[in-house]
Amino acid sequence: MLINRIIKWFVAWPDLLKYLGLISLTLAATYYAPYPIRVIWYVILLSSYLFSRNEALWLALFLSTTDGFAGFFGLYEATMTILPGLPAVEIVQIYIILTVIKAAGSRVKPVLFYSKYLQILFIYLLFTIVWGQLMGLSGGLNVYFRLLKGFIPMLLFYSVPRLFVTWEMYERFFNLVFYIVLIAFAAQLFTLFTGISPMEAGGISRSDENEDINEFRVFYNSSTALIGMFGGLYFIARRVRKDAGRFLPFAVVFSSLAMALLSATRGWIISFSLVTLLALMFTGIAGSRRFILFVIVIIPVILWALSSPTISSQLEFARERLETIGAISEGDLTARGTLQRLDYRSQKALSGWKENPLFGWGLSDMGYSYNDGHVGNQSLLAISGVVGFALLNGFLIWFSYMIVALYLKSAKKKVDRNPLLIFVIFLIGWFFIHSSSGQQFGYSGIPEQIIPQAVFFSFGAYRYQRILSIVNGKKI
């Protein structure tokens, strides 16, 4: 009886309180509890998800275990050993497998306008695995385990559209993401002003004495900030009366842009600035009452921040790094020694591709040796060849084309169509990050990168189908 009361009491909590409670317990178990207790808690988490219907809560939670929360967690932080002798597995990987089981059992068949193209990409993904075997993949069972861990996250493109089937689910997910972004921004400011990370403050790790204290490059929760930036712009662009007094999306867009700027990450700064500017220009956001009120409120905050020597110094550092981009036009591909992507890293990946240009090296020994996440397009060529490169980028173009076509088709209909452009605008900025700062799109990946992609494209298909139904005069 007591357990049932506790469960009912917990279920009645708002999503944010549930999330904060679960992530706090997971943090304590991960960093402060003995390994057996940690594993028991992870098993409880995964089992609880299996019997829960709150997909938004659990997706946000497990994204945080791999992308971070308030300076804690990250890649390979929340792990457990599944088979002796093999590397530990992130619990988010197990979560993804459970989403596939739940999606298969739901018997939901979502309408995805890109479903046939997605099937082609999945077939080519299988081809890269087989092709990699033919090209040579040596090593023990742990090597194939690595291959499997790169494949499992791609299953989210199957499970997410079948589990997120209502507007409420997406809205609840983005609301949680918004608060996670704000917490990440607070953690970044804490690190900037104190000089120590939250993990150092918590006694979990020690500062690196060799670290250059003059270069602050901290960017917490980058993948969450990415999908949060999209969600913020999308919600701002919506013309819904009940949202008229909500400034949370504005705060998230501002915080995401500020985090990129304070981290002095050039590709992300340019990308976030670009999508924000384009959104203001083409979706009517700039003329909204909420935007004007937000600007009035935020200007004093910005002026106060600029008066801080710490922030001013960091912004000056970011400006100096942005100015080095101009050296590329002068023929210096290293951007005054600050950028190896267009020089050493790029040439290495391209040299591998030129040895096997049509299909690349696949997921083989040679493929992994040429794979470099710092150069997205070049690595994609080295792994999947011209064919795979064309297919994947063709999907991004096809997705954008279909969204724009529906936007134009709905011009004379009473439908809120401006948010559709956010999908295209944001995808342009996302591809810029992929091309300049680090690989985002590919035929395999890590959960923190694939989760935002699965949500983005699934949400795009959901909104596409809803608006198409209105345009065609059908009831939804």
Side-chain angles (χ1 to χ4, degrees):
M1 292 293 293
L2 179 61
I3 295 177
N4 289 336
R5 289 182 180 179
I6 293 175
I7 293 175
K8 290 181 180 179
W9 177 62
F10 179 74
V11 169
W13 284 11
D15 283 349
L16 180 60
L17 290 180
K18 293 177 186 177
Y19 169 83
L20 292 175
L22 290 171
I23 198 66
S24 298
L25 290 173
T26 305
L27 189 155
T30 301
Y31 294 108
Y32 299 104
Y35 180 75
I37 301 299
R38 185 194 318 167
V39 172
I40 291 174
W41 174 246
Y42 290 163
V43 172
I44 292 174
L45 275 183
L46 294 166
S47 301
S48 299
Y49 163 69
L50 195 58
F51 296 100
S52 173
R53 295 182 180 180
N54 193 343
E55 298 295 337
L57 169 66
W58 295 100
L59 184 59
L61 177 71
F62 283 104
L63 172 59
S64 295
T65 64
T66 185
D67 186 47
F69 169 77
F72 295 88
F73 294 112
L75 189 64
Y76 303 128
E77 289 286 331
T79 62
M80 57 189 298
T81 301
I82 302 299
L83 296 174
L86 291 178
V89 178
E90 285 188 283
I91 58 173
V92 67
Q93 294 273 7
I94 304 174
Y95 158 77
I96 293 171
I97 295 174
L98 294 181
T99 67
V100 175
I101 295 173
K102 290 180 70 173
S106 68
R107 297 182 181 179
V108 174
K109 294 183 178 180
V111 180
L112 306 176
F113 68 87
Y114 54 77
S115 60
K116 292 184 178 179
Y117 206 132
L118 194 63
Q119 291 172 10
I120 294 174
L121 292 178
F122 183 75
I123 291 172
Y124 198 81
L125 164 59
L126 297 178
F127 171 77
T128 61
I129 296 175
V130 176
W131 183 249
Q133 297 295 308
L134 297 176
M135 293 295 99
L137 182 63
S138 60
L141 190 59
N142 63 321
V143 175
Y144 290 91
F145 203 53
R146 173 189 178 185
L147 189 153
L148 181 63
K149 288 194 290 186
F151 169 80
I152 288 177
M154 311 308 290
L155 297 175
L156 286 168
F157 288 101
Y158 166 84
S159 61
V160 169
R162 288 163 175 79
L163 296 175
F164 283 69
V165 294
T166 65
W167 165 259
E168 181 188 11
M169 290 185 177
Y170 287 105
E171 186 177 33
R172 292 170 73 173
F173 173 75
F174 281 114
N175 279 334
L176 285 173
V177 165
F178 291 163
Y179 286 107
I180 298 170
V181 172
L182 295 181
I183 293 172
F185 184 36
Q188 185 191 44
L189 291 176
F190 171 83
T191 305
L192 176 61
F193 281 104
T194 65
I196 60 174
S197 69
M199 290 186 68
E200 292 167 358
I204 298 171
S205 63
R206 297 181 179 179
S207 60
D208 186 358
E209 296 180 355
N210 296 323
E211 184 179 356
D212 188 348
I213 60 175
N214 295 318
E215 291 193 5
F216 180 84
R217 303 297 312 284
V218 173
F219 192 167
Y220 295 126
N221 295 65
S222 58
S223 294
T224 306
L226 189 69
I227 193 64
M229 182 76 169
F230 160 74
L233 290 172
Y234 186 91
F235 276 76
I236 292 170
R238 293 183 70 227
R239 297 292 185 268
V240 181
R241 185 172 299 175
K242 68 178 182 179
D243 289 340
R246 296 177 61 182
F247 288 93
L248 181 59
F250 285 98
V252 170
V253 171
F254 174 79
S255 298
S256 299
L257 183 56
M259 282 196 291
L261 187 59
L262 290 175
S263 70
T265 310
R266 290 166 293 197
W268 289 72
I269 294 173
I270 296 173
S271 172
F272 281 8
S273 300
L274 177 65
V275 298
T276 302
L277 179 62
L278 292 177
L280 290 174
M281 292 174 58
F282 294 105
T283 63
I285 292 176
S288 68
R289 179 172 174 268
R290 282 184 297 162
F291 175 75
I292 296 173
L293 290 175
F294 180 78
V295 171
I296 294 174
V297 172
I298 204 64
I299 286 178
V301 177
I302 295 175
L303 293 176
W304 172 81
L306 292 176
S307 66
S308 167
T310 302
I311 293 181
S312 297
S313 175
Q314 184 61 22
L315 292 177
E316 177 64 20
F317 173 59
R319 184 188 64 81
E320 291 174 356
R321 283 183 56 81
L322 283 172
E323 286 181 348
T324 60
I325 299 296
I328 297 177
S329 61
E330 301 172 0
D332 181 6
L333 295 182
T334 66
R336 300 174 189 170
T338 65
L339 186 65
Q340 293 184 343
R341 291 180 178 87
L342 298 180
D343 185 21
Y344 171 74
R345 292 180 181 274
S346 177
Q347 294 305 317
K348 179 182 178 182
L350 287 177
S351 65
W353 164 65
K354 292 176 182 178
E355 296 173 9
N356 206 344
L358 189 59
F359 299 119
W361 289 99
L363 299 177
S364 63
D365 291 337
M366 293 296 291
Y368 282 125
S369 67
Y370 288 120
N371 185 39
D372 187 343
H374 291 85
V375 282
N377 292 313
Q378 296 89 328
S379 289
L380 185 60
L381 281 168
I383 292 288
S384 61
V386 171
V387 175
F389 181 87
L391 284 175
L392 185 55
N393 286 286
F395 171 74
L396 302 181
I397 295 172
W398 167 253
F399 179 89
S400 301
Y401 168 79
M402 293 296 289
I403 294 291
V404 171
L406 180 59
Y407 173 83
L408 297 175
K409 185 179 180 180
S410 60
K412 297 182 180 180
K413 299 291 183 177
K414 293 183 178 180
V415 59
D416 189 13
R417 67 194 188 114
N418 278 343
L420 280 175
L421 289 180
I422 298 297
F423 286 98
V424 180
I425 290 171
F426 193 80
L427 195 55
I428 293 173
W430 205 343
F431 188 79
F432 185 87
I433 293 175
H434 167 80
S435 303
S436 63
S437 290
Q439 185 169 3
Q440 298 289 317
F441 307 104
Y443 290 94
S444 63
I446 55 179
E448 70 167 277
Q449 290 181 332
I450 304 304
I451 289 176
Q453 292 176 33
V455 172
F456 175 84
F457 290 110
S458 176
F459 185 49
Y462 174 82
R463 294 307 300 161
Y464 178 94
Q465 191 61 33
R466 290 301 189 190
I467 294 178
L468 181 64
S469 298
I470 295 174
V471 171
N472 292 336
K474 297 180 180 179
K475 294 182 179 180
I476 57 175

